Amino acid sequence: RPVDFVAHGYLFLTGDPAPLAASVRSVELQRSLGVRSRVLAPHEMRPLLPALVTADLLGGTYCGDDGSADPHGLLQAFLALARDRGLDVRTSEGLTGIVKTGARVTGARTVRGEYAAPVVVDCAGPHADDIGALAGVGIPSRPYKRQVLVTEPLPQLPDVFPLIVDLDTGWYVHRQGASAVLMGGTDKDRQPGHDTTVDWDAFDLVFLAAARRVPPLAEARVMRAYAGVRDLTPDYHGILDQAAEAPGFYVACGFSGHGFMHAPAIGRLMAELVLDGHAGSMDIAPLSLARFARGTARPEANMF
């Protein structure tokens, strides 16, 4: 099933020495793992998007292998594979409770009935903390609104250019096919809750950041806007763990808007955790629930 992946590259840029130093360290790690990312000087960014203003920048990072894909297409592909292997998908069946025998989780209760299960995985994104509460598990992941502005493409912009993230403002832009340009950011964690009403006034900051970094975008014609909800943790990293206080209750949430990118790895790691009692592909201790109480959380450096 096609997922419309386009390798347009990701370009992170900054005029601040601290984020640049962190980005340089990240590239060193990425390259040691075989990722073809690199550090760019401001003058090296201009060929990627000639309209980009670089005079106030110190540098940035770029990987041309990075890209975008269609979330719906990938979801349907995953579901088709899972159904072929016997998965029974049930939707519109709201969860009303977690069944426990003593401390151990032994099932789930929905509006349609009760299901016995030796394992329950809480992967409900921005609703994960509410489901955790049903199991008596505190999950420090909260819902936050995220808005996107969609404009018509401009003739000054090429048909393909990198997804650009200005680390100093949180503003980002990328092209979606031939028909639209998407802009957003600057609202990282200002509006907690599940409300998805578009706040048009909040886009003032988006246009200010756009005018500063890619001036033609300030004149782009707005086609529409939409808002969604993502789940943020205090350190902007995900949570992959079995709850110590509720054996059988597993948590996979808090991916701070990156869950689509991480999904294949998350699925493998959670399968290993459930089946083998530990994740074998990588050390997931830094993603434990306990890290917040221990004070060992390490914030994501580039969050926008």
Side-chain angles (χ1 to χ4, degrees):
R1 184 184 294 269
V3 297
D4 300 328
F5 178 77
V6 178
H8 48 62
Y10 270 44
L11 173 64
F12 293 84
L13 45 84
T14 181
D16 187 330
L20 181 59
S23 296
V24 170
R25 291 192 296 271
S26 294
V27 166
E28 291 173 351
L29 174 61
Q30 290 159 11
R31 292 184 69 86
S32 74
L33 297 171
V35 178
R36 297 190 298 177
S37 57
R38 55 195 174 102
V39 178
L40 297 185
H43 72 274
E44 295 176 294
M45 301 176 187
R46 291 296 296 274
L48 298 173
L49 183 63
L52 184 69
V53 174
T54 60
D56 60 332
L57 297 177
L58 291 178
T61 65
Y62 174 71
C63 181
D65 297 330
D66 297 340
S68 300
D70 169 34
H72 181 265
L74 186 60
L75 172 62
Q76 295 307 313
F78 278 146
L79 285 174
L81 288 170
R83 286 186 175 113
D84 286 345
R85 298 180 183 185
L87 179 69
D88 180 10
V89 181
R90 301 191 180 186
T91 59
S92 302
E93 196 165 338
L95 190 74
T96 60
I98 298 295
V99 181
K100 301 173 79 173
T101 302
R104 176 166 289 278
V105 168
T106 55
R109 190 177 301 110
T110 77
V111 294
R112 295 188 182 178
E114 188 170 304
Y115 299 91
V119 169
V120 172
V121 181
D122 180 359
C123 51
H127 299 279
D129 56 332
D130 294 329
I131 292 175
L134 294 175
V137 177
I139 300 177
S141 175
R142 300 291 179 265
Y144 281 88
K145 179 191 288 189
R146 185 65 154 173
Q147 301 196 142
V148 179
L149 191 68
V150 184
T151 77
E152 290 185 348
L154 295 164
Q156 302 97 312
L157 303 181
D159 291 342
V160 177
F161 61 85
L163 187 151
I164 298 172
V165 180
D166 187 331
L167 296 176
D168 302 333
T169 63
W171 174 79
Y172 72 87
V173 62
H174 72 103
R175 184 144 190 177
Q176 188 177 55
S179 60
V181 172
L182 275 58
M183 292 194 294
T186 74
D187 63 345
K188 181 172 67 177
D189 50 12
R190 293 190 308 146
Q191 294 180 281
H194 292 278
D195 176 42
T196 55
T197 304
V198 172
D199 178 5
W200 288 96
D201 291 338
F203 285 122
D204 289 345
L205 289 176
V206 173
F207 272 112
L208 285 172
R212 174 186 172 190
R213 192 57 60 207
V214 184
L217 286 173
E219 306 301 324
R221 180 182 173 186
V222 176
M223 293 168 42
R224 64 185 181 278
Y226 59 91
V229 181
R230 61 181 180 171
D231 49 332
L232 304 183
T233 63
D235 62 2
Y236 304 116
H237 289 296
I239 299 170
L240 296 178
D241 206 354
Q242 178 178 201
E245 65 271 43
F249 187 80
Y250 293 79
V251 180
C253 71
F255 302 106
S256 302
H258 301 139
F260 175 65
M261 301 179 189
H262 296 166
I266 294 165
R268 170 172 290 196
L269 292 167
M270 287 304 295
E272 293 170 350
L273 183 60
V274 171
L275 295 175
D276 304 328
H278 67 280
S281 297
M282 64 172 281
D283 178 14
I284 61 171
L287 303 178
S288 71
L289 269 168
R291 73 184 189 265
F292 303 104
R294 292 190 193 125
T296 57
R298 299 177 61 184
E300 163 65 46
N302 296 331
M303 182 63 191
F304 57 96

